[in-house]
Amino acid sequence: MAKELGLPWDETTKSPANTIKTVFHPEYTYADFVGKLLPQTTGSGSVIYKFYEGHFLRSLGWAYRHLLDGTNENVLLVIDELNRGNAAAIFGLVFQLLDREEDHWSTYEIHLSELEIVGLLKAMQYKASTTHDSIQVDGSNFEKFCELTEKELAFKNNVDGLRVLKNLRDHKIALPRNLSILATINTSDESIYYLDSAFKRRWDWEYVDVPGSKFAGDVPEKIRNAQVVVGATQVNWSDFVIRLNEFIKSNHQAIRRIEDKQIGWWFLKPENNEIGEAAIKNKLMFYLWDSVFAKDRRPLESLLSQNGKNVKLITYAQFVALAEDFVKQIMAIDFDKIPF
């Protein structure tokens, strides 16, 4: 999506510029997302309260400033693990902004408090503060700042900038056309929050499938040569992932929520192009034992009962003791015999 938006590449961070990232989690709140007051100790030992803009307000401020400056640069807010926090509560009033019109501005606006407006102005890189009766921006009162900025924007025929300024004057905000929000969810996480239909329908969705036989020629460059090393056995990690997922799918009758039980390319991360025996045993095989085949071990027993062996798995220790056999049997899977 960053490429589609034309975001420049930042060599320092090795990521797209004009991008703000956050991760939702059970303790993440509306205040973390929009902004909050936090106590701060001064040099004299007294305590003052300072407003800290959240990830949303910061990204909105960047987008607004680009519109006011006339550069119209795109800004991207990335939310990882959207469903690991209470998204409806975290978005709060911002939920109302997710509906957009054909010009890609929000259909509706929402009101912000004076303190939040000051935080937004700071996110826009202005020197803003508030007193008991007014807002100060770059040494002028807010109304004077708006008057001067309005004349400049009108002279340049900056329609989007004028729209931003009008909203600020009214203590309102709307999502502008140059601010996009990209969120990821992982349906296989065990500890997740429910996303209600009203929230979900305000997003465009794209399903990302897990690696399988149809992905055989579409392996990420960084793991293309990664190897799994267990005992004397060494196999290609991407080939192993593909075959393992085909094995999981072929036993769908023994697995609940099959869509969520397969693994991705990055389930294990190679180090120096190698995934060692410890990672296979302690992460991958434990996941299969504890989550995928927790209700029925027979598919694992059948897989390992080859060449005259009759394997019965009672404990996890018995399973990991056969780690090398497990890797070999997964790699021996014949795609032609799998109906998927």
Side-chain angles (χ1 to χ4, degrees), residues 17-38:
N18 292 349
T19 301
I20 291 176
K21 302 175 184 177
T22 186
V23 180
F24 281 6
H25 54 81
E27 298 301 316
Y28 194 94
T29 66
Y30 176 83
D32 296 308
F33 192 51
V34 177
K36 57 187 173 182
L37 274 175
L38 289 176

Side-chain angles (χ1 to χ4, degrees), residues 101-278:
E101 292 297 296
E102 290 183 359
D103 61 1
H104 303 296
W105 280 77
S106 293
T107 303
Y108 310 103
E109 297 104 6
I110 63 171
H111 284 271
L112 291 186
S113 67
E114 185 173 281
L115 199 59
E116 290 169 327
I117 290 294
V118 170
L120 177 58
L121 288 166
K122 287 182 177 179
M124 295 168 68
Q125 303 301 308
Y126 292 113
K127 293 180 180 179
S129 60
T130 182
T131 64
H132 68 282
D133 60 352
S134 66
I135 296 175
Q136 299 293 313
V137 184
D138 286 351
S140 302
N141 68 58
F142 185 50
E143 191 54 42
K144 184 67 174 178
F145 164 80
C146 289
E147 289 177 4
L148 293 174
T149 305
E150 183 179 20
K151 290 179 181 179
E152 181 181 349
L153 294 172
F155 178 76
K156 295 179 179 178
N157 197 28
N158 187 337
V159 177
D160 285 323
L162 288 168
R163 186 169 180 174
V164 168
L165 189 65
K166 182 181 185 306
N167 280 338
L168 291 174
R169 262 181 161 164
D170 296 337
H171 286 196
K172 293 179 180 179
I173 60 169
L175 294 184
R177 61 181 177 84
N178 65 328
L179 175 58
S180 299
I181 304 176
L182 175 66
T184 66
I185 68 171
N186 186 347
T187 56
S188 66
D189 286 342
E190 298 294 336
S191 177
I192 58 176
Y193 283 84
Y194 173 75
L195 296 176
D196 63 74
S197 297
F199 186 82
K200 288 192 289 187
R201 71 179 176 82
R202 284 168 167 78
W203 298 77
D204 293 326
W205 290 81
E206 179 181 350
Y207 176 72
V208 180
D209 203 356
V210 296
S213 57
K214 64 181 179 180
F215 286 91
D218 191 23
V219 181
E221 180 66 31
K222 287 185 178 181
I223 63 166
R224 191 160 293 167
N225 298 316
Q227 299 293 303
V228 175
V229 180
V230 180
T233 299
Q234 181 170 321
V235 302
N236 183 272
W237 166 243
S238 59
D239 288 343
F240 180 77
V241 169
I242 290 170
R243 283 167 169 77
L244 178 57
N245 281 336
E246 295 297 342
F247 169 70
I248 292 172
K249 286 191 290 183
S250 68
N251 290 284
H252 62 91
Q253 293 179 335
I255 303 170
R256 291 185 58 197
R257 299 182 65 183
I258 188 72
E259 290 279 0
D260 298 338
K261 300 304 182 183
Q262 299 163 78
I263 70 168
W265 300 121
W266 304 103
F267 187 93
L268 297 178
K269 189 175 181 180
E271 292 185 13
N272 298 320
N273 248 359
E274 184 177 301
I275 295 173
E277 186 170 332

